[in-house]
Amino acid sequence: METLWFITNPNSGTATRAKCEALEAVFEESGLKLAGRTEFPDQGMPKPKELDEAGVDTVVLFAGDGTINAALCALERWEGAFLILPGGTMNLLAKGLHVETDPHKILHAAHQSTRRVALPYVIAGKHRAFVGLILGPAAAWGRAREAVRKGRFGRLVGAARAAWRKTFDGRGIRVEGAPGLGDDYQAVFVTPDLDGLHVAGVDARDLGSIAQLGWDWLTGDWVAARAVSETRTGELRVRGRKPAQALFDGEPVMLQPHEKIRSGKSLETFIATRTDEEVPAT
């Protein structure tokens, strides 16, 4: 790790401009060259050719999971390394790769680390989720959460009401290929691991689960939401004739009916400072 490209999102979680500048000072103190920087979404993601021409060997990502997803998808064919620092609300990818939660300490440890690991992801068409995918009416909570993240509290009440209405009114999401799951879930959570997909369905008849789902979305930790049915599979599809609401790492997408949802694995390009013995249980 010698020549860096720094990708941030000042509007996501804790990745403020002041903290970005502090990290850039650590780059300089550590003898690392900063070849370029990107503030997403105001600036577009760099192209692989741009990174190669600048001699970049490592992309440092200091942002939330949605911005990290956008960067990884844009640079999926780039052969350099990625260092993920916790700069969002959940920071699930960073927690899986590092013991430390302080970006400065992670950076110092990563400078000395030679360990590179692959990450699993959920893939459907051109969309990928490294943290997880939410299908169904409850995905509407994403707009309420976006209002909170941007400080638009005037829009929060309306977005929350709309999300609650969509969650309880009308038909839920139906999937096929997930053994043991029934019909009409208000949310189906799909999370990846190296052995396939973990699928959890939340039923609107369980009011506590839906209330918790909404709260966890607003506070940032949707993975903590309680599910009522769980299973594992290699792939699944959305049933029906209409596009389904979906959130890929928190970013909204309308998923086409019968689109295949499966698991994938990245190249071994992610810098990990956590040892195998320190990997948290899943």
Side-chain angles (χ1 to χ4, degrees):
M1 191 168 77
E2 296 179 355
T3 304
L4 314 179
W5 193 284
F6 193 29
I7 298 177
T8 69
N9 184 342
N11 297 317
S12 65
T14 58
T16 64
R17 284 191 172 84
K19 291 184 178 181
C20 291
E21 291 173 358
L23 279 171
E24 290 182 15
V26 176
F27 297 161
E28 185 175 359
E29 293 169 4
S30 302
L32 299 168
K33 177 183 176 182
L34 182 59
R37 59 177 64 81
T38 298
E39 281 195 5
F40 185 80
D42 293 337
Q43 298 174 323
M45 291 295 178
K47 306 293 185 183
K49 183 178 179 181
E50 185 179 3
L51 299 179
D52 291 338
E53 290 177 347
V56 174
D57 56 68
T58 305
V59 167
V60 179
L61 290 156
F62 182 49
D65 292 322
T67 299
I68 291 172
N69 180 298
L72 298 181
C73 289
L75 297 171
E76 71 171 306
R77 296 185 180 180
W78 185 61
E79 297 181 353
F82 295 93
L83 175 61
I84 296 178
L85 302 178
T89 49
M90 293 186 290
N91 302 313
L92 295 177
L93 288 177
K95 290 175 182 177
L97 293 167
H98 312 295
V99 176
E100 296 288 349
T101 58
D102 184 336
H104 294 194
K105 292 181 179 179
I106 294 173
L107 183 61
H108 285 301
H111 196 191
Q112 307 299 321
S113 176
T114 60
R115 185 167 183 243
R116 304 291 184 270
V117 300
L119 290 180
Y121 52 79
V122 181
I123 181 170
K126 66 179 181 179
H127 306 293
R128 296 187 180 187
F130 288 83
V131 174
L133 164 66
I134 296 180
L135 297 166
W141 284 100
R143 292 185 178 180
R145 183 174 178 231
E146 190 67 19
V148 172
R149 288 197 303 183
K150 294 183 177 180
R152 297 174 178 174
F153 297 104
R155 298 184 181 181
L156 171 59
V157 174
R161 285 176 177 172
W164 188 269
R165 185 171 60 253
K166 288 181 179 180
T167 299
F168 281 100
D169 295 344
R171 200 166 194 173
I173 189 77
R174 297 181 298 157
V175 298
E176 58 186 29
L181 260 64
D183 288 339
D184 294 335
Y185 289 102
Q186 299 312 302
V188 172
F189 295 81
V190 185
T191 51
D193 59 38
L194 295 176
D195 297 319
L197 300 174
H198 176 265
V199 185
V202 178
D203 195 325
R205 287 171 294 185
D206 182 351
L207 179 61
S209 292
I210 294 301
Q212 183 181 354
L213 173 66
W215 175 253
D216 289 337
W217 251 111
L218 296 180
T219 55
D221 190 9
W222 60 266
V223 175
R226 177 163 47 94
V228 297
S229 301
E230 297 180 275
T231 188
R232 295 190 61 82
T233 187
E235 66 177 57
L236 70 155
R237 299 174 188 265
V238 175
R239 296 169 59 188
R241 298 180 180 180
K242 296 181 179 180
Q245 290 182 299
L247 292 166
F248 285 78
D249 287 350
E251 301 303 315
V253 169
M254 292 303 292
L255 196 62
Q256 294 303 309
H258 302 290
E259 183 78 72
K260 182 189 293 186
I261 301 168
R262 57 184 176 84
S263 62
K265 185 175 73 170
S266 74
L267 300 174
E268 293 183 352
T269 57
F270 293 89
I271 298 174
T273 60
R274 182 188 292 274
T275 66
D276 288 333
E277 292 75 17
E278 295 169 325
V279 173
T282 57

